[in-house]
Amino acid sequence: MSPELTSTASRAPEAPTSLHRSLRRFDITAMAIAAVISFDTVGQIATGGGEAATWTAALALFFLVPYALLFAETGAAFPQEGGPYVWVKLALGRPAAALTTLFYWVTNPIWLGGSLVFLAAETWDGFVFHLGSGTFGDYAFKLLFVWAAILTAVVSLSRGKWITTAGAVVKVLALTLFTLTATLYGIEHGFQGLTESRFTPTGAGFLALVPILLFAYVGFEAPNAAGEEMHNPQRDVPAALGRSATVAACCYLLPVLALLAVVPAQQVTGIGGFMEGARHVYGVYGPAAGPLLTFTAVMFVFALLTQGSAWMIVSDRMQAMAAADGGFFARSLGAFHPRLGTPVRTNLLSGAVATVFMLTAMQLADGDAGAVFAVVLTVAVTTLLLSYLVIVPALVVLRLRRPDVPRPYRVPFGNRGFLACAALVYAWILLGSWSALFPGVLEGLFGIDYDFGDTWGVSRLSFEAFTLGTVVLLLLVGALGMAAARREDHRVGAVRADT
């Protein structure tokens, strides 16, 4: 850890001694790809029609590029274990860092137990083996999926990284296969979707798509949570982030275009979009279509599983560092296993939260998996974007107040370039957070028609109770966690004083 950091009053937390440097540039890139490219968002984005491709490309240019520049510089300059937790603590103090990390971390068990597991079960049920809805098989599959992702995060990073790497490879292969097959289908049957779709951007499409697109594009800084398990983060982080961001932009834009080109607009759904599109176009393979479609479904579910695993690996490390630093209930919660080098207790806590959220979500819409999927995905979008409302200002503070810290990579044009990127990214995050938390409000202000029930499949009361209720609950948990941590520190201090 650099002397510039440890000599200040606001110190970065000490990393566990059981950590081993096992991540190289390829591993960091693969982990970012596994975590960030979200199969569950491809279909959801495509429901926006032709303009979804327009906004996907626009945000890649005007959000993803400045976002990547900001986090490439900060990740290389501050490579301590815990990543964003450390950055916010150094800039704004431990309470802000602890609360921000809670929102960042809890996104992932919510996402795993809601969006990912529902999409995986729907895919398995429709293309591999019938599970039914609300049956023993349905519950068993979802529980197995959740805890398989958690156990992947429990194993040592030197082994776990190969699981997420395999997931990244499978994910890119599946998206590439779908895109090429859709192209073959279009050559044979015509690209009617492209002629019928309207690519002209609209205000309604913009407000509907911004939150989900931001959710799709953020997260490339996640591997920095394992910063002290990288061989050379100062050199590897900027390069890995640039490569993974480029791959992600292509893996969103091209499949969305392919899906819209060949699948009738009314058949594109959030939960079934990708696989229903595959079912539609795989007819070009004749008798081999059925087995190939089943194989693609298995790859799809495996990619979803490793996507959850990748996020558990990195976000659990962030939350563990917050706990170990005295920012969340007991310091023991942040303990790293001496042999595995993983935060096992935090991993198990994530599994418990994901399980509870999965069971709760199944009761949300009376078994309507599509409605559950959309609402739970929005909850995950909301909690993650809210964390960036603190993380991005923290990056600015570090840039301005710690100019002496070596920065192997710098945003072009110095402080002005950095501040311009930060302002642009923050404006997007602010807009996306509001739209995710209060959908339909901005539409009403601009006179855009918005039918809440038709859009979400649940009432506004149910939606807001789930989303706002989650945010309020997290604020309460965060306050209790910090209060409990302070009491523990005072108790330990009193015992030491007596001895």
Side-chain angles (χ1 to χ4, degrees):
M1 193 172 293
S2 65
E4 291 90 344
L5 299 181
T6 56
S7 63
T8 63
S10 180
R11 299 173 184 268
E14 293 294 332
T17 57
S18 56
L19 299 181
H20 304 285
R21 296 191 182 275
S22 56
L23 296 179
R24 299 185 184 275
R25 184 177 299 182
F26 173 79
D27 304 316
I28 301 168
T29 304
M31 183 176 290
I33 291 173
V36 173
I37 300 176
S38 306
F39 266 137
D40 57 330
T41 60
V42 171
Q44 195 72 10
I45 292 169
T47 60
E51 64 177 304
T54 304
W55 289 120
T56 300
L59 262 74
L61 180 61
F62 295 109
F63 173 77
L64 181 58
V65 170
Y67 167 87
L69 293 175
L70 288 178
F71 285 95
E73 175 175 322
T74 305
F78 299 91
Q80 291 75 26
E81 191 80 7
Y85 171 75
V86 175
W87 306 339
V88 178
K89 182 190 175 184
L90 292 174
L92 304 173
R94 185 164 60 184
L99 192 58
T100 301
T101 298
L102 176 62
F103 274 76
Y104 191 102
W105 163 73
V106 83
T107 293
N108 299 294
I110 287 176
W111 188 37
L112 175 64
S115 172
L116 292 183
V117 76
F118 275 80
L119 181 55
E122 187 83 359
T123 301
W124 199 267
D125 178 70
F127 298 91
V128 182
F129 183 81
H130 180 64
L131 298 173
S133 177
T135 63
F136 173 80
D138 187 27
Y139 276 93
F141 178 90
K142 289 172 180 173
L143 288 171
L144 180 63
F145 183 92
V146 167
W147 285 98
I150 297 299
L151 292 177
T152 302
V154 168
V155 302
S156 65
L157 189 57
S158 61
R159 292 182 172 86
K161 71 178 184 180
W162 294 113
I163 299 174
T164 58
T165 297
V169 172
V170 166
K171 188 175 296 185
V172 173
L173 284 176
L175 289 169
T176 302
L177 176 62
F178 172 76
T179 303
L180 292 176
T181 305
T183 303
L184 292 176
Y185 182 92
I187 293 172
E188 183 175 332
H189 299 281
F191 296 96
Q192 295 181 358
L194 293 180
T195 58
E196 295 174 359
S197 297
R198 296 182 178 179
F199 291 88
T200 304
T202 66
F206 172 75
L207 293 174
L209 288 166
V210 163
I212 193 67
L213 283 170
L214 293 178
F215 181 77
Y217 279 143
V218 298
F220 292 99
E221 76 290 339
N224 265 102
E228 296 188 30
E229 297 169 78
M230 300 176 182
H231 281 276
N232 192 340
Q234 289 86 357
R235 183 194 65 186
D236 292 341
V237 165
L241 194 150
R243 293 174 182 177
S244 57
T246 302
V247 171
C250 293
C251 284
Y252 281 123
L253 183 59
L254 296 179
V256 166
L257 276 172
L259 191 61
L260 293 171
V262 298
V263 179
Q266 64 273 18
Q267 295 183 18
V268 178
T269 64
I271 191 167
F274 179 84
M275 286 306 303
E276 287 301 329
R279 189 203 299 272
H280 188 80
V281 302
Y282 273 30
V284 299
Y285 297 119
L292 189 57
L293 189 61
T294 300
F295 177 68
T296 302
V298 173
M299 287 200 301
F300 185 82
V301 172
F302 177 73
L304 292 175
L305 176 66
T306 56
Q307 186 173 323
S309 300
W311 274 107
M312 290 298 104
I313 288 171
V314 293
S315 66
D316 283 356
R317 278 166 165 75
M318 283 179 57
Q319 187 61 33
M321 291 302 293
D325 195 41
F328 188 70
F329 289 102
R331 290 180 185 269
S332 59
L333 187 62
F336 280 62
H337 193 278
R339 181 173 59 85
L340 298 175
T342 55
V344 175
R345 292 172 182 171
T346 304
N347 294 146
L348 297 178
L349 177 61
S350 290
V353 172
T355 300
V356 169
F357 215 87
M358 182 269 290
L359 296 174
T360 303
M362 290 189 73
Q363 308 303 317
L364 175 66
D366 298 325
D368 185 347
V372 171
F373 170 81
V375 175
V376 174
L377 180 58
T378 300
V379 173
V381 169
T382 301
T383 53
L384 185 62
L385 293 184
L386 288 175
S387 71
Y388 284 96
L389 292 178
V390 181
I391 294 174
V392 173
L395 305 189
V396 174
V397 172
L398 291 177
R399 184 64 152 82
L400 298 178
R401 294 185 181 176
R402 293 176 178 264
D404 54 326
V405 174
R407 295 175 182 266
Y409 171 80
R410 289 179 176 270
V411 173
F413 308 111
N415 280 349
R416 290 183 179 179
F418 194 98
L419 293 175
C421 288
L424 187 57
V425 169
Y426 198 80
W428 282 113
I429 295 292
L430 192 62
L431 176 63
S433 300
W434 179 270
S435 297
L437 201 56
F438 305 106
V441 173
L442 290 177
E443 286 86 346
L445 291 176
F446 291 102
I448 299 171
D449 291 335
Y450 191 88
D451 189 312
F452 197 94
D454 286 347
T455 301
W456 295 101
V458 297
S459 67
R460 178 177 286 277
L461 180 61
S462 296
F463 179 92
E464 297 296 1
F466 209 55
T467 53
L468 288 177
T470 300
V471 171
V472 171
L473 179 62
L474 288 177
L475 291 173
L476 292 174
V477 170
L480 290 173
M482 287 186 285
R486 284 195 296 268
R487 285 197 299 271
E488 181 186 53
D489 286 347
H490 291 158
R491 185 169 60 253
V492 172
V495 170
R496 289 177 178 173
D498 291 340
T499 57

